[in-house]
Amino acid sequence: MSALRVLSVGLGPIGLEAARLALAGRSLELVGAVDLDPEKAGRDLAELLGLDEATGLRVERDLAAALARARPDVAILCTGSTVPAVLADVERIVRAGAGVVSSCEELLWPALQHPELARRLDAAARSGGSAILGTGVNPGFVLDFLPVVLSGVSRRVERVRGVRILDAAARRLPLQKKVGAGLAVEEFRRLVAAGRLGHVGMRESVALIGHALGFDLDEVTQTVEPVVAERRIETAHLVVEPGRAAGIRNLGFGRSGGETRVELVLEMYVGAPDPRDEIFLEGDPPLHLAIEGGTPGDAATAAILVNSLAGVAAAPPGLKTVLDLPPPRLAR
C-alpha cells in the first residue's frame, strides 16, 4: 500500500505540529506546506519545525499552485474556526480531488449554523470525489465523540453531562489571550457581547450528541462567563490581578421539550486547580468516565488530525462528521 500524499495548509502551532507528525508517519508522505504569512513563505519547513536536516519542502503561499504541483490525496487544514472562514480553501482542495481533515471547529457539525454552506461543501466534495471532516480534541473528541462512544454500552441514556477543565497557565500566550486572562471583567463581557470571546464549537458539540443519541433537541444554546481571579496569578506570559478575569467558563445546553438532555461545561483559566475531563451518562447503567489531568489540547489536536487522514482518504465522497467514519487510530 503506497503512502498517503499529504498537504499541510496553515502553519500555526497546531498546523506545524500536525506537519511534524505527518513527516514522521510511515504511511504518510508530506508533499507540501502552505501558509499566507510572508515570513514563512519560501523557507524550508525544517526551519519552522526546528529540525536539523532540511525537508526539501518550501512553504508556499499559493494554495492552488501547491495543489497542482503536489497532487495530494488529503490535506490538513488549520486556518480558521468558522465555516465561512475556511469555505473557499476547502472547496478548492476537494475540487482538486483531495480530501480535507480540518481543525475548523464549526466543521464538526456545520449544518447547525450554516446549513446552506454545509450543502455547498457536500456538493463540492461529491463533485471532486473526496471527503471533508472537521475534528479535533474539543470539539471533535472529549465533549462530543467520547460521550457517544461511551453510550455504546448503555441500554438507555437520559442525559449527558461533559466537563472539561483546563489550566491555561501552562499554555501558549495566544491561548491565554483567547480566554481573556488578565482582562477587566467589564472588558471581558464587552468582548463576549461583540462575539470576540468564547469557545467556538460548543453548540456544535451539543448538536452532535443530540443527533447521535436521538434526543430530538429543539434548543441548543451557549453561555459565556468570566472566571474571576481570587488571588494574583503569574504565568510565563502575563499577570492576572485579583478581581480580573482569569479565563472563561463556557456552558452548552441542549434541550428537548424544556428538559435539558445535554449539558457541557468548559472552563479554561489560569490557575485551574484540578484539570480534568469527565463524562457522565445518566441512564441504564449510569456511567462516569474521568481523564485525570485532562487531554492535552494542542498535541492531541494535531494527533487526531493526522490519525484521521486515512479514514477520510478512504471515505465515500461528501461532507462527513466524526459519526460517519470509523474511530481514528494511531497512524503508522
Side-chain angles (χ1 to χ4, degrees):
M1 179 177 173
S2 58
L4 281 176
R5 296 173 62 83
V6 180
L7 179 67
S8 183
V9 183
L11 301 176
I14 301 298
L16 281 173
E17 185 58 28
R20 186 192 306 277
L21 293 175
L23 276 172
R26 288 177 294 177
S27 61
L28 306 172
E29 180 187 0
L30 190 63
V31 294
V34 178
D35 196 285
L36 292 176
D37 186 351
E39 298 273 333
K40 298 173 182 176
R43 298 170 64 183
D44 190 286
L45 186 59
E47 295 182 50
L48 304 182
L49 294 175
L51 303 178
D52 294 330
E53 296 184 13
T55 64
L57 298 173
R58 297 281 176 183
V59 178
E60 303 171 64
R61 296 190 68 192
D62 188 328
L63 176 58
L67 288 166
R69 178 196 59 77
R71 297 176 290 105
D73 299 306
V74 65
I76 303 170
L77 182 71
C78 301
T79 58
S81 294
T82 68
V83 171
V86 303
L87 179 69
D89 284 346
V90 173
E91 286 185 319
R92 186 170 288 112
I93 293 167
V94 294
R95 284 177 176 154
V100 174
V101 177
S102 177
S103 60
C104 173
E105 288 92 334
E106 288 185 352
L107 268 181
L108 177 81
W109 198 260
L112 178 67
Q113 298 191 68
H114 309 284
E116 292 185 7
L117 297 185
R119 287 190 288 271
R120 178 170 156 180
L121 286 173
D122 185 62
R126 292 176 185 276
S127 175
S130 49
I132 301 166
L133 176 70
T135 189
V137 162
N138 184 44
F141 187 72
V142 173
L143 290 182
D144 35 53
F145 188 63
L146 270 185
V148 172
V149 171
L150 194 58
S151 75
V153 294
S154 297
R155 291 187 291 184
R156 185 184 73 257
V157 178
E158 299 295 337
R159 185 169 180 266
V160 174
R161 185 170 190 265
V163 178
R164 178 163 167 79
I165 310 295
L166 183 152
D167 182 5
R171 301 289 291 276
R172 63 190 191 277
L173 179 59
L175 187 280
Q176 293 179 15
K177 289 184 175 181
K178 179 181 178 180
V179 302
L183 293 177
V185 171
E186 297 78 10
E187 177 66 4
F188 182 101
R189 295 191 187 283
R190 186 187 71 79
L191 292 174
V192 169
R196 295 173 57 190
L197 273 183
H199 173 66
V200 180
M202 177 67 81
R203 285 174 290 180
E204 282 73 15
S205 291
V206 171
L208 184 141
I209 292 171
H211 175 84
L213 300 186
F215 285 163
D216 193 24
L217 301 178
D218 50 43
E219 184 182 12
V220 175
T221 61
Q222 174 181 237
T223 64
V224 182
E225 307 166 355
V227 177
V228 180
E230 298 180 354
R231 59 181 175 83
R232 188 177 191 271
I233 306 169
E234 186 172 349
T235 77
H237 305 293
L238 51 77
V239 174
V240 179
E241 299 292 348
R244 297 179 77 88
I248 201 164
R249 177 181 292 112
N250 272 78
L251 305 175
F253 301 96
R255 298 182 178 91
S256 178
E259 179 184 357
T260 297
R261 305 298 300 276
V262 181
E263 178 185 355
L264 303 181
V265 179
L266 172 63
E267 296 185 354
M268 297 188 288
Y269 63 99
V270 297
D274 183 21
R276 65 194 186 278
D277 297 328
E278 290 187 282
I279 305 299
F280 302 86
L281 298 189
E282 296 181 12
D284 181 16
L287 295 169
H288 174 210
L289 172 68
I291 302 175
E292 294 184 7
T295 308
D298 291 356
T301 296
I304 200 169
L305 292 171
V306 171
N307 292 337
S308 298
L309 292 172
V312 167
L319 178 60
K320 309 298 180 183
T321 76
V322 294
L323 302 177
D324 299 318
L325 303 181
R329 64 185 67 181
L330 182 64
R332 296 292 184 180

